[in-house]
């Protein structure tokens, strides 16, 4: 209990929130929280400070909701706009840049230096009748949002958060149209000048602009263009080059009801497959994973029949699947590898699941048809939908396949590889429709519980992988889908069983099969 001399807890939380927004560090907030505790509580604290090993770990003595509030306030404080001698600035830890706002436009510079980038609205209107934007706008900064009110018609605004810098416009009323225009011409134009050292390149779909350095490498993207009116109706819009480092934003507003909102966002990277690997319905991005400065992206419906790493794609094996590796150097992302299995067959869905830990990538192909068992067996396409997983390792900047993983017992439609996870030298693979009815770890396989599901653990010694465990729930029922999701950290594996029917609550209750599809997880 808090003593009567101390502030009520919610009052204390509000104080912490204000302190965070004023720029205090998390350490300062921790001290404030400690001082707010009653004497009898502080006396009970251990002599050694508590070490938080995960962002999701809740400190002792705090409710999860209260800790979430503190973390949210801390993030808001880190991204808040701060006044400067010449205007305002906002730091973005995730994007690793700081943006200056000078009441005319903005200019961003990364922590590592190397480039600057910004935008400046010059004019808006229909046809040649453009209203120039000038003078000093009314500036309003509140937390993570800053706005420029240019006139009664146009407000320009910015939101700085974990995604990047969201930059938008709100058009409160229809600008005056050029009387010489045809009545059918209802395209509202905005001329935006670029600032800094990067050059604009309008995307092929005209929905974004990439900004490139002198070498032609894309440093950041201004994309995700969305425009809607007061009724929430989406309006057609596009970017186009306007010469001299400028871009034109065009909005078809003929049937719109004002106000209308324009909302792109600036981020370090907009990842797409290499040009010769992009096709309709590839589903690039179906699965993603990240470790440090490396990202892996699965495209489970990619169509190339080529094999191995960095082959030249074709379209001869529909839905065989692929995975792509991207790396960041400074603030620049680039594709490092295009991954395919060592044997490719139509509809394998390689890339349905992906995982990465350091220099190791695992890719699942739940619809692969091989009947071999264990590690690195010969591929024979006689077990439809049995599934497989593939391990790739990086040496320097070069990727190569290190292992071809299969279950210790293979059956058609097991969908092994539906989920994958990796931590260091340990990989776990889920087989969501495996039929074994045995329970626990490393039991004998008996195929009498349709779609019960299983998970398999593999370990690496040097460059050699071997199966270490065959995991089943402690109670197995048909259609439990144990293995539909897997996760691993160090020596701990978690397996999800979405369709398990137990009705008990909490941890380690007795299993009663009376709550269909309630689901469970196993550690």
């Amino acid at each position: 209990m808090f003593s009567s001399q101390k502030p009520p807890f919610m009052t204390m939380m509000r104080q912490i929130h204000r302190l965070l927004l004023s720029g205090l560090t998390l350490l300062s907030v921790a001290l404030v929280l400690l001082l707010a505790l009653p004497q009898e509580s502080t006396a009970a604290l251990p002599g050694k400070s508590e070490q938080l090993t995960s962002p999701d770990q809740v400190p002792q003595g705090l409710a999860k909701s209260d800790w979430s509030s503190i973390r949210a306030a801390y993030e808001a404080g880190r991204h808040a706009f701060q006044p400067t001698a010449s205007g305002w600035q906002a730091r973005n830890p995730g994007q690793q840049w700081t943006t200056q706002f000078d009441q005319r436009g903005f200019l961003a510079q990364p922590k590592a230096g190397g480039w600057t980038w910004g935008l400046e609205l010059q004019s808006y209107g229909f046809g040649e009748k453009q209203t120039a934007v000038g003078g000093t706008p009314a500036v309003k900064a509140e937390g993570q949002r800053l706005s420029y009110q240019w006139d009664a018609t146009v407000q320009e605004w910015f939101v700085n958060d974990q995604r990047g810098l969201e930059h938008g416009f709100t058009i409160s009323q229809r600008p005056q149209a050029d009387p010489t225009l045809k009545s059918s011409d209802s395209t509202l134009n905005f001329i935006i000048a670029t600032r800094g050292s990067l050059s604009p390149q309008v995307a092929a779909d005209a929905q974004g602009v990439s900004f490139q350095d002198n070498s032609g490498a894309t440093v950041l993207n201004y994309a995700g263009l969305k425009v809607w009116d007061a009724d929430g109706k989406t309006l057609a819009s596009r970017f186009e080059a306007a010469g001299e480092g400028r871009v034109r934003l065009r909005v078809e507003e003929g049937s719109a009801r004002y106000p209308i909102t324009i909302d792109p966002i600036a981020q370090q990277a907009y990842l797409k497959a290499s040009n010769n690997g992009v096709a309709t319905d590839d589903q690039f991005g179906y699965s993603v994973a990240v470790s440090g400065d490396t990202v892996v992206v699965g495209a489970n419906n990619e169509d190339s029949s080529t094999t191995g790493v960095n082959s030249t794609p074709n379209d001869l094996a529909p839905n065989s699947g692929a995975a792509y590796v991207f790396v960041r150097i400074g603030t620049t992302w680039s594709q490092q590898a295009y991954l395919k299995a060592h044997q490719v067959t139509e509809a394998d869905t390689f890339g349905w699941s992906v995982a990465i830990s350091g220099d190791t990538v695992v890719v699942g192909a739940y619809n692969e048809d091989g009947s071999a068992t264990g590690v690195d067996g010969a591929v024979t396409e006689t077990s439809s939908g049995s599934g497989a997983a593939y391990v790739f390792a990086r040496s320097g900047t070069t990727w190569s396949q290190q292992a071809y993983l299969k279950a210790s017992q293979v059956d058609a439609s097991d969908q092994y590889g539906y989920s994958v996870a990796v931590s260091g030298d340990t990989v776990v693979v889920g087989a969501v429709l495996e039929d074994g009815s045995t329970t626990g770890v490393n039991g004998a396989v008996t195929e009498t519980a349709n779609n019960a599901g299983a998970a398999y653990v593999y370990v690496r010694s040097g460059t050699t992988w071997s199966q270490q465990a065959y995991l089943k729930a402690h109670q197995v029922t048909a259609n439990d889908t144990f293995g539909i999701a897997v996760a691993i950290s160090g020596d701990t594996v978690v397996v999800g069983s979405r369709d398990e029917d137990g009705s008990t609550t909490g941890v380690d209750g007795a299993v009663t099969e009376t709550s269909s599809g309630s689901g469970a997880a196993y550690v």
Side-chain angles (χ1 to χ4, degrees):
M1 295 292 292
F2 288 95
S3 69
S4 59
Q5 284 74 36
K6 299 297 178 181
F9 187 70
M10 290 312 298
T11 300
M12 181 187 72
M13 293 294 295
R14 287 192 289 271
Q15 291 172 347
I16 292 172
H17 185 271
R18 287 195 294 272
L19 289 168
L20 283 164
L21 293 181
S22 69
L24 287 184
T25 65
L26 184 59
L27 175 60
S28 303
V29 174
L31 290 172
V32 171
L33 184 59
L34 179 60
L35 292 172
L37 292 172
Q39 293 300 315
E40 54 268 34
S41 294
T42 55
L45 291 173
K48 188 176 180 181
S49 61
E50 182 181 0
Q51 299 297 313
L52 302 184
T53 60
S54 164
D56 295 320
Q57 183 180 347
V58 179
Q60 294 181 11
L62 275 182
K64 184 176 181 179
S65 59
D66 296 330
W67 181 235
S68 296
S69 297
I70 292 172
R71 287 179 56 199
Y74 171 61
E75 285 300 322
R78 291 208 303 167
H79 292 87
F81 287 87
Q82 304 290 345
T84 67
S86 58
W88 299 81
Q89 78 171 16
R91 293 184 175 87
N92 196 298
Q95 300 297 324
Q96 300 181 30
W97 66 43
T98 298
T99 309
Q100 305 289 338
F101 298 82
D102 60 2
Q103 303 181 72
R104 187 67 196 88
F106 66 89
L107 189 69
Q109 183 170 5
K111 182 178 180 180
W115 54 263
T116 56
W117 167 79
L119 298 176
E120 178 180 311
L121 177 63
Q122 291 190 328
S123 64
Y124 65 91
F126 296 94
E128 298 301 319
K129 187 175 180 59
Q130 291 281 304
T131 299
V133 172
T136 302
V139 182
K140 185 177 183 179
E142 292 182 324
Q144 296 172 245
R145 191 180 195 278
L146 181 141
S147 63
Y148 292 160
Q149 187 69 52
W150 289 109
D151 52 31
T153 299
V154 175
Q155 182 189 79
E156 184 177 11
W157 49 267
F158 310 88
V159 175
N160 185 49
D161 60 22
Q162 290 93 330
R163 300 168 301 158
L165 181 65
E166 186 178 3
H167 174 215
F169 303 91
T170 300
I171 317 303
S172 61
Q173 59 192 10
R174 194 172 196 266
Q176 184 178 356
D178 186 340
T180 64
L181 287 177
K182 296 179 180 179
S183 58
S184 59
D185 190 342
S186 58
T187 303
L188 179 59
N189 300 318
F190 297 82
I191 303 298
I192 304 172
T194 61
R195 290 176 158 189
S197 59
L198 304 180
S199 301
Q201 181 69 41
V202 176
D205 63 3
Q207 297 303 292
V209 182
S210 63
F211 286 85
Q212 302 173 345
D213 62 17
N214 292 334
S215 69
T218 296
V219 171
L220 61 85
N221 285 275
Y222 183 69
L225 177 62
K226 295 180 181 179
V227 183
W228 63 92
D229 72 356
D231 297 321
K233 180 175 65 176
T234 301
L235 306 179
S237 57
R238 64 190 184 277
F239 288 107
E240 62 185 29
E244 299 179 0
R246 302 187 303 170
V247 293
R248 180 182 291 106
L249 171 58
R250 300 173 66 91
V251 178
E252 306 295 337
E253 54 77 74
S255 59
R257 187 169 74 86
Y258 283 79
I260 63 174
T261 302
I262 302 168
D263 188 12
I265 188 168
Q267 299 170 314
Q268 266 196 41
Y270 169 58
L271 304 181
K272 295 286 284 185
S274 50
N275 289 339
N276 56 355
V278 176
T280 302
D281 295 327
D282 274 1
Q283 295 194 359
F284 176 92
Y286 190 89
S287 57
V288 295
V290 60
S291 177
D293 290 322
T294 306
V295 162
V296 58
V297 181
N300 63 292
N301 280 355
E302 190 265 359
D303 299 328
S304 179
S305 65
T306 57
T307 61
V309 178
N310 293 333
S311 59
T312 301
N314 57 37
D315 287 317
L316 302 180
N319 303 338
S320 56
Y324 301 80
V325 179
F326 298 85
V327 294
R328 175 173 57 190
I329 299 177
T331 59
T332 301
W333 289 89
S334 60
Q335 184 175 311
Q336 188 177 69
Y338 164 61
L339 307 180
K340 295 283 290 185
H342 65 300
Q343 178 163 322
V344 170
T345 307
E346 180 177 330
D348 274 354
T349 63
F350 176 95
W352 176 271
S353 57
V354 296
I356 182 172
S357 176
D359 293 320
T360 304
V361 160
V362 184
V363 182
Y366 81 86
N367 211 35
E368 188 264 0
D369 300 329
S371 57
T373 60
V375 179
D376 293 332
V379 179
T380 54
E381 298 283 326
T382 57
S383 187
S384 178
S386 56
Y390 302 79
V391 180
F392 295 84
R394 175 171 56 188
S395 176
T397 60
T398 302
W399 290 89
S400 59
Q401 184 175 312
Q402 191 174 70
Y404 166 58
L405 305 181
K406 295 284 289 185
S408 51
Q409 178 164 321
V410 171
D411 271 321
S413 302
D414 275 357
Q415 296 193 359
Y416 171 100
Y418 194 95
S419 58
V420 296
V422 58
S423 177
D425 293 320
T426 307
V427 162
V428 58
V429 181
V432 68
L433 298 187
E434 189 264 359
D435 299 328
S437 58
T438 54
T439 61
V441 179
N442 293 333
V445 179
T446 55
E447 298 284 326
T448 57
N450 289 341
N451 304 338
Y456 301 79
V457 179
Y458 300 82
V459 294
R460 175 170 52 189
S461 176
T463 60
T464 302
W465 290 88
S466 59
Q467 183 175 314
Q468 188 177 69
Y470 164 58
L471 307 181
K472 297 285 289 186
H474 65 300
Q475 178 164 321
V476 172
T477 307
N479 301 314
D480 275 354
T481 63
F482 178 93
I484 196 167
V486 295
I488 182 172
S489 177
D491 294 323
T492 304
V493 162
V494 183
V495 182
S497 181
R498 182 192 64 188
D499 294 310
E500 190 265 359
D501 299 330
S503 57
T504 55
T505 60
V507 179
D508 293 334
V511 179
T512 55
E513 299 282 328
T514 58
S515 187
S516 179
S518 57
Y522 301 80
V523 183

